[in-house]
Amino acid sequence: MMLAASWHGPKDIRLEEIPTPHAPTGEDVLVEVSWCGICGTDLHEYLAGPIFIPPSLEQVVLGHEFSARVAAIGDRVDSAAVGDRVVVIPHRVCRECHFCRRLMFQHCRNLELVGLTRNGAFARFTVARQDQLVPLPDTIPDEFGALVEPLAVTFHGMRQPGVYPGADIAIIGAGPIGLSAVAVARAVGLRSIIVVEMLPQRATIARQMGADDVLDPREVDALDAIRGLTAGRGADITMECVGLSETMNLAIRAARPGGLALLAGITEMPSDVDLNTAVRDEKEIRGCIGYFEGEFDAVIELMASGRLDPSPLISRRLDLDRILGDGFDSLVRDRDSCIKVLVSPSTRHGAAGGRIE
């Protein structure tokens, strides 16, 4: 048996003993979790789920942003060995549908998600398939490995048509995804990075991660300020990372005519979004979620090269038994000071855990 943090419904995450996964077969790999981040998606599921969790699912172990070590392999595994340090892509895909054949794995028609539709990484052990594993170089610590997933989400955004080196970008919201977007935008060569954020500590971290200007919408009109910083035209790209109608509309309005508004925030209820502005000014609105083939590898390469330093994102490191009060609840309570909470269920980091039977 092993300790796990399981979702049972909104405001109902339980620390409970569950069976340790069986020895893997076929292409499956048993991994021992090193560090797992509490994602904004996990927080949405905690507060208002089920959102991505299927309504028919009564219980699931959360956790999908994680680094791990391979503990055991199935009999058809040929690309991983026991002891390998890895990051795990949470998408488990069919590899056969229209979207898988085009390497658009987050749109797989038969997609399973580690930590949302199947048990995830807020437990000492979890199971993945060998094609979900990405090697983690020795030069990158396990903690940074747990940040690859949210960074890959924003790297995916920076690869969209309409994003190019030398462009300016306005990022709305400096939570974990917004701050990841700042770091990635700087790493890939965007020229001017403007951030809209009212919480002072988040604003400070945005500057540390490469923002050129941080606007407090309580003190300035954010739309006017963005236009003022872009010679009156609006930003080439905007990226909304909050998930509210108000901030989505700001992202659309702040993009220049012919520009791109990326919507990455997850809403908990239907939104009233102004589409007339997009029609009138021929702006493109594009959703941004997940990642394509190779984008985890690209983020790891940016880290290894020194162009991407994710360390300011990490607010707290916890053992699994503290995940509720010092993790989920603190992310709600301490929104300004708490950005990314990393949790270790592994005995190698001093946390409680079971053993492979």
Side-chain angles (χ1 to χ4, degrees):
M1 301 292 285
M2 62 180 183
L3 187 66
S6 298
W7 180 92
H8 287 263
K11 300 290 184 68
D12 187 7
I13 292 178
R14 305 175 195 174
L15 277 170
E16 55 191 3
E17 294 285 332
I18 67 169
T20 302
H22 295 298
T25 59
E27 293 187 49
D28 279 350
V29 175
L30 183 70
V31 297
E32 182 179 14
V33 178
S34 299
W35 291 97
C36 184
I38 300 178
C39 177
T41 301
D42 296 322
L43 194 60
H44 283 300
E45 297 289 356
Y46 173 55
L47 296 173
I51 299 171
F52 291 105
I53 294 172
S56 60
L57 201 60
E58 296 181 355
Q59 174 274 338
V60 67
V61 178
L62 295 176
H64 61 272
E65 304 177 350
F66 64 107
S67 59
R69 277 180 169 79
V70 175
I73 62 175
D75 56 301
R76 296 203 308 273
V77 172
D78 56 14
S79 63
V82 172
D84 285 353
R85 297 174 63 245
V86 296
V87 176
V88 179
I89 301 170
H91 296 157
R92 189 178 177 111
V93 301
C94 71
R95 301 184 289 197
E96 296 177 353
C97 71
H98 172 90
F99 297 103
C100 284
R101 292 197 304 270
R102 287 154 181 80
L103 306 183
M104 301 168 66
F105 292 132
Q106 74 266 44
H107 302 301
C108 171
R109 297 297 87 180
N110 303 291
L111 179 65
E112 295 182 81
L113 295 165
V114 173
L116 291 167
T117 69
R118 57 188 295 135
N119 282 344
F122 289 139
R124 184 177 174 188
F125 296 102
T126 193
V127 175
R129 202 170 58 197
Q130 64 173 336
D131 59 355
Q132 295 175 258
L133 307 184
V134 181
L136 191 62
D138 292 339
T139 55
I140 298 177
D142 291 335
E143 292 173 327
F144 287 8
L147 300 174
V148 169
E149 197 272 352
L151 289 162
V153 170
T154 56
F155 183 84
H156 179 65
M158 300 306 159
R159 294 185 72 187
Q160 298 302 309
V163 182
Y164 52 91
D168 47 47
I169 185 170
I171 296 167
I172 317 301
I177 292 298
L179 291 169
S180 296
V182 173
V184 173
R186 180 59 66 202
V188 301
L190 271 68
R191 179 184 60 195
S192 177
I193 302 171
I194 305 164
V195 174
V196 179
E197 176 56 61
M198 67 176 63
L199 296 178
Q201 191 157 336
R202 291 187 175 200
T204 297
I205 297 172
R207 293 186 183 94
Q208 291 174 354
M209 301 203 77
D212 297 292
D213 297 278
V214 182
L215 308 174
D216 184 340
R218 299 170 302 180
E219 298 178 355
V220 299
D221 183 296
L223 179 58
D224 287 346
I226 291 168
R227 287 174 175 165
L229 290 166
T230 56
R233 68 181 184 276
D236 298 315
I237 308 138
T238 61
M239 188 168 190
E240 196 279 343
C241 303
V242 181
L244 299 175
S245 296
E246 180 182 2
T247 48
M248 288 181 175
N249 285 327
L250 174 59
I252 294 168
R253 292 164 185 163
R256 63 166 171 78
L260 171 65
L262 293 169
L263 304 183
I266 300 297
T267 63
E268 293 179 0
M269 51 184 42
S271 299
D272 181 14
V273 176
D274 174 17
L275 298 179
N276 284 336
T277 299
V279 174
R280 183 182 64 244
D281 289 337
E282 296 187 308
K283 302 178 183 185
E284 180 178 357
I285 301 173
R286 182 180 288 267
C288 181
I289 192 169
Y291 16 76
F292 284 177
E293 175 76 0
E295 291 177 338
F296 270 53
D297 304 82
V299 168
I300 290 170
E301 184 177 342
L302 286 173
M303 284 187 189
S305 71
R307 294 164 60 192
L308 178 56
D309 177 12
S311 56
L313 291 173
I314 302 173
S315 302
R316 295 179 183 169
R317 301 164 178 83
L318 305 176
D319 288 349
L320 181 60
D321 59 5
R322 296 169 56 199
I323 194 173
L324 297 178
D326 293 331
F328 281 93
D329 291 337
S330 75
L331 284 165
V332 177
R333 183 180 61 244
D334 307 323
R335 289 185 60 243
D336 187 17
S337 60
C338 200
I339 304 298
K340 180 60 67 176
V341 175
L342 298 184
V343 177
S344 177
S346 171
T347 54
R348 290 181 292 103
H349 295 115
R355 63 184 180 86
I356 302 176
E357 299 295 332

